[in-house]
Amino acid sequence: AAKMAKGEISAEEMEELREAFSKVDVDSNGYISTDELTELFKVANLPLPGYRVREIVQELSQTMDQNKDGKISFDEFVKVFHGLKSSEVAKTFRKAINKKEGICAVAGTSEQSGTQHSYSEEEKVAFVNWVNKALEKDPDCKHVLPMDPSSNDLFTAVGDGIILCKMINLSVPDTIDERTINKKKLTPFTIQENLNLALNSSSAIGCHVVNIGAEDLKEGRQHLVLGLLWQIIKIGLLADIEISRNEALIALLRDGENLEDLMKLSPEELLLRWANYHLEQAGCSKINNFSSDIKVKYPKDSKAYYNILNQVAPKGDEEGIPPIVIDLSGLREKDDLKRAECMLDQADRLGCRQFVMPPDVVRGNPKLNLAFVANLFNKYPALKKPENQDIDWSSIEGETREERTFRNWMNSLGVNPRVNHLYGDLDDALVIFQLYEKIKVPVDWDKVNKPPYPKLGSNMKKLENCNYAVELGKKEAKFSLVGIAGQDLNEGNRTLTLALLWQLMRRYTLNILEDLGDGQKVNDDTIVRWVNDTLTEAGKHTITGFKDGSISSSMPVLDLIDAIQPGSIRYDLIKAEDLTDEEKLNNAKYAISMARKIGARVYALPEDLVEVKPKMVMTVFACLMARGMKRV
Ligand SMILES: *[C@@H]1O[C@H](CO)[C@@H](O)[C@H](O)[C@H]1NC(C)=O
Ligand SMILES: *[C@@H]1O[C@H](CO)[C@@H](O)[C@H](O)[C@H]1NC(C)=O
Ligand SMILES: *[C@@H]1O[C@H](CO)[C@@H](O)[C@H](O)[C@H]1NC(C)=O
Ligand SMILES: *[C@@H]1O[C@H](CO)[C@@H](O)[C@H](O)[C@H]1NC(C)=O
Ligand SMILES: CC(=O)N[C@H]1CO[C@H](CO)[C@@H](O)[C@@H]1O
């Protein structure tokens, strides 16, 4: 071979890099994000502590992302990767790429890393202002609020876990039982409990909480705190941008589309539609995103935002709501920042000056502009539910609890792309393959078709994936998939998709127990026996199984928590006998939050206990058993 100049890359090496890149770029969008890099290390099962992985990812993304757009293109990847060839980072990274098999999460340990991580100052300011306002009246937050947005207050304020718990509960109401938050006379132990509660509840609402631990929050690791807080805030902002929650969104249907097409859109896509709907009504051109389109075409004249504000502002046609006339004179302001400031003054009159400062509008910060528009939508949707005869209203059903639990479970594991609609988003089985890897079923990615799919025959490609997914389930995972074909996944047959997902979640849960028990096989009986033994030892009532009627009161769960961590349950807060439905639910909320507080990652919902749903009951006991086995 010809001798190569230093820094040149051989064709073979290039091939290797391309392969590595496409392995990391799970969603094949041509870019890898830092999350995807983290995922690679995880998949590679590198025996590195979490903080080390974080450092490497940080270092790589800082050097690699040369144009600082938060994404790493293949060219950037090649350039820097090659430059780093001899460094320790490159070696580790290379090792990670070459060892693609074997899945095992790298533990989220949190030693002092000593490295300085970068974070976005604008985002910090925006989140601080949002939290200040959201919790303004909460007496439990007086000790830390209001935070000064220009300081680092936020990173100390989150350290006791209270603010995070409160924000989680605002984003998904009723996630955390108020009674389980430690508020007074905090000690290192009770702070740890609050942080466990916050982290495990974040998982339960579908935040991707990988490589972040209580220590990171206690020490206020800036980029981790901001990352988690953004996920929590975003889930809350997007919660109502969904057709079953707001039927007026059907006004966004376009000619030739049916309801199903609209229901498949992600909340972000719906929000963009909404913005464009109002722009169209105003006779303006459309935008394609809340980043460069806001920045380049528009706030050159801040037109998009001005027009949306003008469209949604109350016109005085609704009783009791006075009209607000948007002053458009700021459009004539020549200076970009000043024009954006004038626009935000108008947003302020609607009570919607949130998340963005003039420079964020001018530069088109994607997160903050998305948040700004989402908040505007939540306050002033300005849509009318169409009175259309052709619409089959009965087909609009919200997500069931079971569906929501599965979805939150997989999102918290960081599947990519994020799942918004359980059926539509699984039609190419890509997410299913990622879940197989999480339960140690090897996936031959060469057999998997990856997006973008060709325009013609795209469904064929997806169907092939689904067939392979079912085959893996039958042959490798040894699931019971009688009567399930790839087509059922592809078409989103509810019963059959749920059957597969349940087996995935169940296996995932059992795997955790088996790993803790040195590989010993675990089944339902093993769990019930462990629960019985633990309860008996503590002098409490046992259960006959996951269908035991006594579970409806949550008493067995509460007793088990108290057996695992003696003295943790405040029995004075609960009622044990002759319970009304409301009292049962009350106990169940307390039980679920307590389980998370002592460190169990429970996804089930209180209603699952009250109604004694055996599958979800099983996961609750299994998670507690996992927690109990770690108790030494
Ligand atoms: C959580 O939300 C529910 C319902 O919105 C509320 O009743 C409860 O007080 C909240 N708890 C916390 C911890 O904020
Ligand atoms: C936003 O949309 C425009 C086209 O309207 C496109 O040129 C630009 O690349 C998009 N920006 C991002 C970040 O996707
Ligand atoms: C889903 O599959 C089940 C079992 O094969 C079948 O009974 C049911 O009709 C299917 N549902 C739909 C909507 O096709
Ligand atoms: C648990 O205890 C109940 C009641 O004492 C008993 O009926 C059941 O068989 C026990 N189950 C196991 C698996 O030990
Ligand atoms: C997902 C998650 O953060 N789970 C945590 C629940 O709480 C325990 C105790 O802090 C942690 O070990 C888990 O990682």
Side-chain angles (χ1 to χ4, degrees):
K3 195 162 175 272
M4 272 185 300
K6 193 166 173 265
E8 254 184 71
I9 299 177
S10 72
E12 192 187 63
E13 228 172 348
M14 192 61 125
E15 190 51 39
E16 222 180 275
L17 284 180
R18 200 171 280 285
E19 192 195 337
F21 189 87
S22 67
K23 283 231 156 63
V24 190
D25 181 21
V26 184
D27 56 1
S28 299
N29 63 355
Y31 292 96
I32 49 181
S33 62
T34 48
D35 271 356
E36 285 173 327
L37 272 175
T38 313
E39 201 58 29
L40 174 73
F41 281 101
K42 236 176 66 188
V43 168
N45 194 14
L46 272 188
L48 286 178
Y51 76 94
R52 195 56 202 119
V53 174
R54 283 203 295 271
E55 275 171 24
I56 292 174
V57 166
Q58 194 68 26
E59 217 174 316
L60 280 171
S61 58
Q62 264 168 17
T63 28
M64 281 191 181
D65 184 16
Q66 296 179 331
N67 60 7
K68 297 279 170 266
D69 59 358
K71 292 187 293 195
I72 298 158
S73 71
F74 181 66
D75 285 347
E76 287 175 323
F77 174 82
V78 169
K79 230 184 268 165
V80 182
F81 183 71
H82 202 69
L84 281 173
K85 226 169 155 183
S86 61
S87 79
E88 193 227 334
V89 166
K91 266 190 245 155
T92 318
F93 193 58
R94 206 162 258 271
K95 230 161 75 193
I97 291 169
N98 292 335
K99 272 175 65 179
K100 313 130 201 144
E101 301 320 333
I103 297 88
C104 182
V106 177
T109 45
S110 336
E111 278 89 321
Q112 189 66 46
S113 71
T115 6
Q116 198 57 49
H117 294 288
S118 63
Y119 66 90
S120 149
E121 181 68 22
E122 311 82 87
E123 286 168 18
K124 183 198 74 185
V125 171
F127 301 163
V128 165
N129 285 328
W130 182 248
V131 172
N132 276 344
K133 190 148 180 16
L135 302 176
E136 184 176 40
K137 299 206 176 75
D138 194 319
D140 301 326
C141 299
K142 289 256 182 296
H143 64 304
V144 281
L145 294 192
M147 300 174 276
D148 172 2
S150 66
S151 75
N152 277 344
D153 278 4
L154 172 69
F155 305 115
T156 13
V158 295
D160 66 16
I162 296 179
I163 286 191
L164 289 171
C165 287
K166 298 276 182 175
M167 290 306 293
I168 291 167
N169 200 51
L170 280 179
S171 281
V172 184
D174 256 345
T175 300
I176 294 183
D177 187 320
E178 188 76 38
R179 295 169 293 182
T180 56
I181 304 178
N182 300 319
K183 294 170 186 167
K184 297 260 154 64
K185 299 199 201 104
L186 294 175
T187 64
F189 179 77
T190 55
I191 286 175
Q192 176 76 32
E193 284 189 325
N194 281 351
L195 294 170
N196 287 350
L197 181 60
L199 280 170
N200 284 308
S201 303
S202 304
S203 289
I205 64 167
C207 294
H208 178 200
V209 189
V210 176
N211 284 342
I212 169 163
E215 282 303 306
D216 298 313
L217 299 177
K218 215 182 294 172
E219 284 165 22
R221 296 255 155 81
Q222 294 150 339
H223 61 300
L224 295 175
V225 168
L226 290 178
L228 178 61
L229 195 54
W230 167 238
Q231 290 193 68
I232 295 170
I233 292 174
K234 186 173 167 192
I235 287 174
L237 283 173
L238 301 184
D240 287 333
I241 310 182
E242 205 222 311
I243 301 192
S244 66
R245 298 264 205 142
N246 186 347
E247 292 186 348
L249 282 166
I250 294 177
L252 303 179
L253 260 181
R254 292 185 185 146
D255 283 347
E257 264 184 347
N258 59 35
L259 204 48
E260 219 171 277
D261 300 325
L262 198 64
M263 283 161 76
K264 275 189 185 155
L265 297 182
S266 67
E268 287 95 332
E269 288 166 328
L270 275 173
L271 191 62
L272 195 56
R273 275 248 185 149
W274 173 78
N276 281 326
Y277 172 88
H278 285 302
L279 286 172
E280 215 163 29
Q281 301 266 310
C284 289
S285 39
K286 291 187 183 175
I287 53 174
N288 285 313
N289 48 52
F290 297 119
S291 48
S292 30
D293 263 9
I294 286 289
K295 162 177 81 173
V296 184
K297 270 196 267 173
Y298 295 102
K300 273 254 175 250
D301 39 3
S302 268
K303 218 160 141 191
Y305 279 164
Y306 260 120
N307 279 295
I308 298 173
L309 291 174
N310 197 30
Q311 287 294 319
V312 303
K315 302 288 182 290
D317 43 15
E318 257 179 277
E319 213 178 315
I321 304 174
I324 301 177
V325 180
I326 298 294
D327 174 1
L328 297 173
S329 64
L331 271 170
R332 289 192 296 273
E333 180 61 62
K334 289 208 176 57
D335 180 73
D336 286 349
L337 285 172
K338 281 195 193 134
R339 199 171 50 251
E341 176 61 38
C342 291
M343 183 278 291
L344 288 174
D345 281 343
Q346 298 305 310
D348 198 21
R349 297 180 53 227
L350 296 177
C352 291
R353 187 184 176 133
Q354 287 290 346
F355 292 108
V356 289
M357 298 286 189
D360 306 321
V361 177
V362 174
R363 288 191 210 122
N365 179 311
K367 268 184 207 166
L368 298 180
N369 282 290
L370 174 78
F372 172 75
V373 179
N375 181 54
L376 189 62
F377 169 87
N378 288 330
K379 290 243 168 84
Y380 297 97
L383 291 177
K384 270 215 177 63
K385 182 168 150 178
E387 319 223 326
N388 189 329
Q389 310 298 323
D390 308 338
I391 292 171
D392 175 13
W393 297 99
S394 69
S395 70
I396 305 169
E397 9 177 296
E399 195 173 37
T400 65
R401 288 202 314 268
E402 192 182 20
E403 287 161 359
R404 186 164 123 201
T405 306
F406 286 144
R407 209 164 52 76
N408 286 341
W409 167 67
M410 51 182 91
N411 283 331
S412 77
L413 297 180
V415 295
N416 187 357
R418 192 180 166 85
V419 177
N420 293 301
H421 302 289
L422 201 50
Y423 307 103
D425 291 353
L426 301 184
D427 69 348
D428 63 1
L430 281 189
V431 165
I432 305 273
F433 293 127
Q434 295 168 54
L435 295 174
Y436 276 135
E437 294 207 312
K438 308 253 179 229
I439 60 162
K440 305 179 195 170
V441 167
V443 174
D444 179 355
W445 286 98
D446 292 337
K447 284 197 184 171
V448 175
N449 300 314
K450 299 175 195 84
Y453 302 109
K455 274 218 173 68
L456 265 178
S458 78
N459 203 49
M460 193 38 117
K461 296 277 176 208
K462 294 180 179 181
L463 183 56
E464 282 171 9
N465 282 355
C466 291
N467 288 334
Y468 178 43
V470 171
E471 180 191 319
L472 278 178
K474 286 181 179 159
K475 293 204 180 123
E476 300 288 335
K478 305 271 187 278
F479 286 161
S480 147
L481 296 175
V482 185
I484 303 190
Q487 196 177 353
D488 297 311
L489 277 185
N490 180 247
E491 288 172 358
N493 180 305
R494 288 177 182 238
T495 331
L496 299 177
T497 306
L498 289 177
L500 173 60
L501 291 179
W502 164 241
Q503 294 184 71
L504 283 161
M505 186 175 181
R506 177 184 152 81
R507 182 69 58 82
Y508 179 83
T509 311
L510 294 178
N511 276 359
I512 292 177
L513 288 174
E514 287 168 6
D515 288 348
L516 287 171
D518 296 324
Q520 252 175 0
K521 276 274 160 259
V522 174
N523 57 27
D524 286 8
D525 252 6
T526 331
I527 302 172
V528 177
R529 220 173 310 126
W530 185 88
V531 171
N532 271 357
D533 290 349
T534 311
L535 287 172
T536 308
E537 216 173 290
K540 316 272 189 185
H541 294 296
T542 52
I543 55 167
T544 54
F546 303 133
K547 293 182 185 161
D548 192 321
S550 70
I551 293 166
S552 180
S553 70
S554 296
M555 286 313 292
V557 178
L558 291 161
D559 285 340
L560 186 64
I561 293 170
D562 202 60
I564 294 170
Q565 190 168 304
S568 60
I569 295 294
R570 286 190 51 194
Y571 282 93
D572 60 314
L573 294 180
I574 53 189
K575 198 174 162 205
E577 277 160 42
D578 304 322
L579 301 177
T580 63
D581 286 347
E582 203 186 323
E583 288 163 339
K584 284 181 183 173
L585 192 60
N586 213 22
N587 280 2
K589 282 182 192 165
Y590 183 59
I592 299 273
S593 282
M594 279 307 300
R596 292 179 184 144
K597 181 175 172 179
I598 68 162
R601 199 202 287 197
V602 170
Y603 292 92
L605 297 166
E607 291 83 353
D608 297 324
L609 290 179
V610 174
E611 293 167 23
V612 199
K613 296 282 181 203
K615 290 176 187 164
M616 290 302 146
V617 168
M618 176 260 173
T619 63
V620 172
F621 283 116
C623 290
L624 284 169
M625 177 172 168
R627 169 62 182 78
M629 286 170 76
K630 280 194 241 170
R631 156 189 67 144
V632 201

